[in-house]
Amino acid sequence: MTIRSRQGRMRGRRRSQDGGLLVLILALVLALVVGSSFRKAGGRSTSVVLWYLDASTRELVSNPAVAKLPTRRVEQVAGIIDLLRTPPADQGLATAVPAGFTAHRATLLSGGILDVVLGVARDQPPMGFAEENALYWQLVNSMLNLPGVRSIELSVDGRPRGTFLSFVKTQRELGANEVMLDKGQLVDLYFVGRDGRYVVERRTLPTGLTRSQLAFQATRALMEGPVHPSLVSPLPGTEVLRGVTVSGRTASVDFEESVLKLNMGAQEEEQVKNSLVLTLTRLAGVSRVRLLVGGNNVEGLFGHVDTVDPLFRLDGRLEEGMALAVYSLTEVDGDKLPVLTVYQQKQALMGRNVMISKSIAQLGNPPGGDASLVPHGTSVTAMVLEASTGMLRLSLVMTPLPEDQAAEALMVEQLRLSLTELPSVTWLQVGVNGSVAFLPGGYYIGKPFSR
């Protein structure tokens, strides 16, 4: 009895141990499954830099963030797209990522090449070049942050290899948008030449600035003075500048109260006003400038300049069609720089096509003493202005062409400055003698040129 009882107890104990082990194994398996599911759903927190668009200027803007990314590549890409589709609130950011944009496949190849195949909704409306280009670089720049990724190859289901949606040509991108990260942002600063005309110096400012920061840095650069010693800045030194803010389409320049003690002649004051307004209204999304002192409106500045109302570029005559702003070339300290000439019109120019044709004709006939790399007799064979993006697509026939790449670049500068002065034109895409990629000297014109 005792033995049986012992054996019975032993058997019972053995069954209890076996059952406990089984329960333990099941619990471990369940924990692994739950943990795996959690990681798949929530992902691991990873520091990334996401790229959006400035809501006003439509320039690319980097935005550091911490994202929870799954382990599967296609889900990582899908997660990035979802984050890009909804910009952070209250930061002035926008996106070009449409609602139906999805990740179909994503494979990390040898060498860190991430091959991504995307899909778009069937009812996806067409995009212009500027918007499509922004979408492309939003995706590329952001996906380069994924772990182990050194380069990106993007394609879209149903599109030929090497094309994105319509206009943008794709290739293996080894780094983020070079224009944004390596070259900075180019701005046009208006200084005064010896003859009293306004000469443009291009200046490179840091990227990633807000609209207000960009306007502030441009104003500071203007007040610090030109590179060429033969040019002057009519503005006083930077010590009288309190700050610059941009709200809507208005840039407000705030001066210290000490600016009221400065004495200037009427001509100098006019140059201060024009230099400042011409510079700031070249920035994307800025159409008027308000001058403040100590954060408050004042009736006058420097003695004569009326500052009660906002100041418009060339007093609004461009929008009225009563003036054309055209840029020829003047020699300054051995360099050829763009110089502004305003041509008054006896009657208002009606229609954008007329303004474009007249601007091109005037470029070929510079004022006496100036030069132009846009030859006389240049003709327009096609022009299309996209109202939604402000992109002017222009085809020109011209001969002779500039002799080298540097001269070609300067000719395109003349075209860019002159044609983006026209109302509603913020981008220029130009073709010359049938070429939409390279000019004979090697200058690349396949990209859009911004105002």
Side-chain angles (χ1 to χ4, degrees), residues 16-142:
S16 175
Q17 288 173 344
D18 292 345
L21 181 62
L22 181 61
V23 169
L24 179 61
I25 292 172
L26 288 174
L28 289 173
V29 170
L30 181 61
L32 288 172
V33 171
V34 170
S36 175
S37 300
F38 174 79
R39 284 194 300 274
K40 182 176 178 181
R44 295 179 178 178
S45 295
T46 304
S47 296
V48 295
V49 178
L50 302 177
W51 289 75
Y52 298 95
L53 303 178
D54 185 289
S56 299
T57 66
R58 307 301 290 180
E59 294 285 346
L60 286 169
V61 178
S62 60
N63 188 63
V66 175
K68 289 189 175 181
L69 299 177
T71 55
R72 292 183 60 199
R73 289 292 174 178
V74 68
E75 292 172 353
Q76 289 178 352
V77 171
I80 290 289
I81 292 174
D82 286 341
L83 291 170
L84 292 177
R85 205 186 329 267
T86 308
D90 302 324
Q91 295 187 29
L93 300 177
T95 184
V97 180
F101 218 73
T102 56
H104 283 187
R105 296 182 294 280
T107 307
L108 187 64
L109 307 177
S110 60
I113 304 168
L114 182 62
D115 185 16
V116 179
V117 180
L118 303 164
V120 295
R122 291 183 178 181
D123 57 350
Q124 169 65 38
M127 288 183 174
F129 179 90
E131 188 176 10
E132 183 183 332
N133 190 57
L135 168 61
Y136 178 76
W137 282 109
Q138 266 195 271
L139 295 169
V140 169
N141 288 0
S142 301

Side-chain angles (χ1 to χ4, degrees), residues 343-364:
Y343 295 92
Q344 303 296 337
Q345 305 298 309
K346 294 181 179 178
Q347 293 183 338
L349 297 174
M350 304 303 293
R352 202 65 42 76
N353 292 2
V354 173
M355 294 182 179
I356 293 169
S357 298
K358 284 211 168 194
S359 296
I360 296 295
Q362 200 65 64
L363 278 167

Side-chain angles (χ1 to χ4, degrees), residues 323-372:
L324 281 180
V326 179
Y327 293 78
S328 52
L329 300 174
T330 188
E331 188 164 322
V332 178
D333 302 324
D335 292 331
K336 287 184 177 179
L337 299 181
V339 58
L340 172 64
T341 301
V342 180
Y343 295 92
Q344 303 296 337
Q345 305 298 309
K346 294 181 179 178
Q347 293 183 338
L349 297 174
M350 304 303 293
R352 202 65 42 76
N353 292 2
V354 173
M355 294 182 179
I356 293 169
S357 298
K358 284 211 168 194
S359 296
I360 296 295
Q362 200 65 64
L363 278 167
N365 293 277
D370 288 355
S372 178

Side-chain angles (χ1 to χ4, degrees), residues 289-302:
V289 176
R290 186 179 293 277
L291 303 182
L292 308 173
V293 175
N296 301 312
N297 291 318
V298 290
E299 292 186 0
L301 196 62
F302 311 123

Side-chain angles (χ1 to χ4, degrees), residues 25 33-34 53 97 99 138 186 218 233 260 273 283 312 345 352 375 377 391 430 432:
I25 292 172
V33 171
V34 170
L53 303 178
V97 180
Q138 266 195 271
L186 292 171
S233 174
L260 297 175
K273 180 193 77 170
L283 302 180
F312 290 84
Q345 305 298 309
R352 202 65 42 76
M391 173 75 74
V430 64
V432 178

